[in-house]
Each structure stands twice: as C-alpha cells, then as structure tokens.
C-alpha cells in the first residue's frame, strides 16, 4: 500500500498544506495607539508593524502607519515598502541618544547610501514613540508610501487586500550623525523579505484615529 502519493500527500500528512501561503506577519492590537497592525519580528528582535485604513481608494494612494520597536543597541532599522532595497520608498529609523527617535524617508537607486526621498513623508506620532533603557520605539504616519515609480521604472502600489512583501534591514553600527535626519550610514548587518498580510491590519476611522495620536 502506498502511504504517500507525492509531495501533496506528504504535505497533507504533515498538516502543511493550509499554511502553504501563510504570511510572515501576524495581527497585533496595540493598546497604546489603539491601532491594529500586521506585525513581524526580525532576527535580533526588531519588530516592524504596519497599519492601514479599512477602506482605500481605487488609486491606492492612502496613508499608512509604521511602527518599529528596536533593542536600544541597534544602530539603525529600516523598512522597504516595496520589498527590495532599490526603487521603492524606504523608512530608516534610529535613536538620537535618549533624546528622540529619528525617521527619514529615502529611496535607493543602487546599493549605496540611499538619498532623501521627498515624495514620502512621515509624521511622527507622539503616542507610540518613546525610548527607555532597553528599546526605542517609533510610530509614524506615512503619506506617499503606497504608490511610487514612474513610466520608466514602472508604477507600483500596495494593495492592502492582498499579501505584500515588505523588506527590512538593520545595522548594529550607529548612523554618522544621529541628530540629523539627513545623516549617512553604513551597510546593513542583516536583511529580510517578510510577507505581510495587511488585511489583518485594517482600521476603522483611520484618519481620525491617527490624528489623535499626533
Ligand atoms: C549605506 C546604506 C546601504 C548600503 C551600502 C547597502 C548595500 C547593499 C548591498 C551591497 C546589497 C547586496 C546586493 C546583492 O548582492 O544582491 C544590499 C541588499 C539589500 N539591501 Fe541594502 N544597503 C544599504 C541600505 C539599505 C537600507 C536602508 C535598506 C532598507 C531599508 C536596505 C535593504 C536591502 C535589501 C532588502 C537587500 C536585499 C536585496 C534586495 O531586496 O534588494 N539596504 N544592500
């Protein structure tokens, strides 16, 4: 008798089939900001979270909220909205001593320090942004992180109803000038390409809920 009939049979036997297309993120309800996020924890324990509105226009131009929680010793932690280093909006964050947490919008045109990208704008939300002895955390609204590109590079959008690959990177080395959002910094020590399921991160009355956190 054949116990297994190929890969499908093996997957079914091991109970793997239903999880075949599972995202790397999971839903997280944050008591402090009151928002629900898709949350992913990278190696080194850095947490990357994204929250979206429950309804978005067909243009797919809408605001998002990004939250990053990082061990204090991390030099910088960044998120790439389009899932790769180049040709998509990047958010890079770091602690400026114990004074504040910095976020900067960048865009890489190659594998070198990404220059500032003025088409994505971050508004730091006071609620959800702080530093303590072990971690720094930032919560920021992004305007312009869900659609980018042009005719030559191609236009890309983030559809919150489907799974999206969102990349991360971090370095253990501090940025060159922590007080300056325009600072340069060195290459990452680690990167990853987690798949986010943003359908679990939909928030009702998003605009009003986010405005209260500013
Ligand atoms: C000084 C800054 C940086 C330098 C010099 C740098 C350099 C590089 C290099 C050389 C690679 C390897 C390319 C390959 O062999 O395939 C790479 C890959 C990668 N980098 Fe960076 N990087 C920097 C900043 C960043 C930032 C800020 C992010 C994200 C926020 C990022 C995300 C990635 C990712 C996700 C990859 C994997 C390949 C891809 O998906 O595009 N990098 N980087």
């Amino acid at each position: 008798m054949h116990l297994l009939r190929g890969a499908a049979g093996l997957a079914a036997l091991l109970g793997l089939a239903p999880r075949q297309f599972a995202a790397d993120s999971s839903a997280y309800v944050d008591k402090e900001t009151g928002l629900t996020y898709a949350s992913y924890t990278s190696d080194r324990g850095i947490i990357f979270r994204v929250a979206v509105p429950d309804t978005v226009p067909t243009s797919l131009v809408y605001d998002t909220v990004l939250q990053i929680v990082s061990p204090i010793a991390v030099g910088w932690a960044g998120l790439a909205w389009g899932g790769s280093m180049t040709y998509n909006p990047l958010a890079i964050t770091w602690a400026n001593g114990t004074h504040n947490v910095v976020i900067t919008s960048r865009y890489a045109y190659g594998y070198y320090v990404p220059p500032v990208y003025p088409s994505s704008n971050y508004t730091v939300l006071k609620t959800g942004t702080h530093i303590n002895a072990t971690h720094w955390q930032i919560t920021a609204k992004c305007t312009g992180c869900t659609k980018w590109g042009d005719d030559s590079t191609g236009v890309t959008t983030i559809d919150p109803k489907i799974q999206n690959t969102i990349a991360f990177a971090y370095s253990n080395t501090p940025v060159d000038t922590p007080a300056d959002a325009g600072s340069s910094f060195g290459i990452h020590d680690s990167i990853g390409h987690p798949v986010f399921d943003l359908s679990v991160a939909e928030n009702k009355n998003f605009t009003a809920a986010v405005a209260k956190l500013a």
Side-chain angles (χ1 to χ4, degrees), residues 76 78-79 84-85 92 111-114 167 169 185-188 191 193:
W76 60 262
L79 179 136
S84 64
M85 177 166 164
I92 295 99
Y111 293 110
Y112 45 82
V113 190
F185 46 84
I187 192 170
H188 24 76
I191 58 109
H193 300 94

Side-chain angles (χ1 to χ4, degrees), residues 132-171:
N132 64 23
T134 62
H135 290 78
W136 48 268
Q137 171 173 323
I138 187 161
T139 307
K141 177 178 81 171
C142 184
T143 301
C145 285
T146 63
K147 188 172 191 177
W148 62 89
D150 55 31
D151 289 346
S152 65
T153 58
V155 174
T156 306
T157 51
I158 295 183
D159 180 347
K161 305 288 177 201
I162 59 171
Q163 296 187 348
N164 292 273
T165 301
I166 296 179
F168 75 84
Y170 69 80
S171 170

Side-chain angles (χ1 to χ4, degrees), residues 30-146:
D30 179 32
K31 284 194 190 128
E32 187 186 10
T33 58
L35 297 175
T36 299
Y37 299 80
S39 181
Y40 172 78
T41 304
S42 77
D43 59 318
R44 214 178 176 325
I46 307 173
I47 307 172
F48 297 89
R49 297 186 177 128
V50 176
V52 296
D54 62 341
T55 54
V56 298
T58 50
S59 65
L60 293 177
V61 174
Y62 55 96
D63 290 351
T64 55
V65 168
L66 168 65
Q67 184 173 73
I68 297 180
V69 186
S70 170
I72 197 86
V74 166
W76 60 262
L79 179 136
W81 290 94
S84 64
M85 177 166 164
T86 55
Y87 294 97
N88 68 126
L90 309 176
I92 295 99
T93 64
W94 61 80
N96 174 25
T98 53
H99 307 286
N100 63 316
V101 188
V102 175
I103 185 163
T104 177
S105 172
R106 306 291 179 102
Y107 201 94
Y109 299 90
Y111 293 110
Y112 45 82
V113 190
V116 168
Y117 176 57
S119 302
S120 296
N121 287 292
Y122 295 92
T123 307
V124 176
L125 303 174
K126 286 198 196 98
T127 306
T129 302
H130 35 75
I131 307 176
N132 64 23
T134 62
H135 290 78
W136 48 268
Q137 171 173 323
I138 187 161
T139 307
K141 177 178 81 171
C142 184
T143 301
C145 285
T146 63

